[in-house]
Amino acid sequence: IGCSEEEMRSTPYSPATLRRVRNSKKWAATARHEAGHAVVSVALGRAVRQVRLTPGNADRLGVCEGFPDRGEFRELGPSYWSPRKVRAQVLVLLAGDIAEKRFDRTRRFGGHGDYDLVCDIIFSAFGSGDASDRCRRWADDCDRLVTKHLPQIRAVAEALLASDSLALTGRQIREICKRSVASSHLAG
């Protein structure tokens, strides 16, 4: 369940918690992971409601809301999902881990649930026939997409860590992506 923009702005984190999060490699990696999901969602024209870090939550270090989760996928069923929708969902799910690896190849903090959901989606939508080949192709596609959008992923991760609520709305993410693209065109 997501938070409203007002709730996100008012989420109280103590200065000590904010310092701990902002000075932690684990939280920096998590911010890049969640930013990877968010930026690839935006790049694919998909909705993003919010992205946030969740200190104090033992189950999830962060969350990107806006694409169907496991329950929504199962509820809608495979007949709802066109191959194009399935591919987009898989790319968004893979983007977090790939973004995290792009910035630091040695650190691994999460994303296991993302891979479980990728397998669920592919097998539910297409069966086991060419699932592994399809997954490999889409992982390569996602790697190219993440590489293309690294400046935006970096900018969203930095803004996420800088936010006193440790959260960004979908509108903020889209604006950061636009500014990052504009500044990279000016620099290039």
Side-chain angles (χ1 to χ4, degrees):
I1 298 200
C3 303
S4 70
E5 287 186 42
E6 181 61 33
E7 289 171 317
M8 283 177 29
R9 281 192 295 273
S10 66
T11 302
Y13 286 109
S14 71
T17 297
L18 290 171
R19 255 191 322 277
R20 179 177 52 85
V21 168
R22 290 175 179 151
N23 294 320
S24 164
K25 286 184 178 186
K26 173 178 83 172
W27 288 106
T30 302
R32 291 186 292 262
H33 181 105
E34 299 306 332
H37 290 309
V39 170
V40 167
S41 288
V42 169
L44 294 172
R46 296 174 56 104
V48 177
R49 286 188 297 270
Q50 71 172 341
V51 63
R52 60 190 157 90
L53 301 179
T54 56
N57 183 334
D59 296 327
R60 302 179 95 164
L61 298 178
V63 63
C64 178
E65 294 181 357
F67 51 89
D69 64 17
R70 184 184 310 268
E72 290 170 304
F73 176 77
R74 287 195 176 125
E75 186 177 303
L76 293 169
S79 61
Y80 169 81
W81 295 87
S82 68
R84 187 170 152 241
K85 284 182 181 177
V86 172
R87 179 182 178 275
Q89 176 74 6
V90 168
L91 293 180
V92 169
L93 287 165
L94 293 173
D97 194 56
I98 291 172
E100 194 177 327
K101 285 181 191 174
R102 280 275 168 239
F103 288 96
D104 186 349
R105 294 195 177 276
T106 62
R107 304 289 287 186
R108 306 294 313 133
F109 291 107
H112 308 296
D114 295 340
Y115 284 110
D116 291 344
L117 187 50
V118 163
C119 291
D120 280 357
I121 289 171
I122 290 175
F123 285 117
S124 294
F126 303 111
S128 61
D130 67 342
S132 61
D133 184 51
R134 190 181 299 260
C135 193
R136 256 191 307 282
R137 283 194 322 268
W138 289 350
D140 290 343
D141 292 347
C142 187
D143 188 61
R144 286 188 290 278
L145 197 55
V146 166
T147 300
K148 177 180 178 181
H149 294 282
L150 277 177
Q152 292 88 354
I153 293 168
R154 178 179 283 114
V156 168
E158 289 171 358
L160 182 57
L161 287 166
S163 165
D164 286 342
S165 63
L166 300 175
L168 298 171
T169 65
R171 183 174 58 229
Q172 290 171 314
I173 293 163
R174 286 185 297 279
E175 285 301 315
I176 292 166
C177 288
K178 284 179 193 172
R179 281 195 312 265
S180 180
V181 167
S183 67
S184 67
H185 287 309
L186 292 174

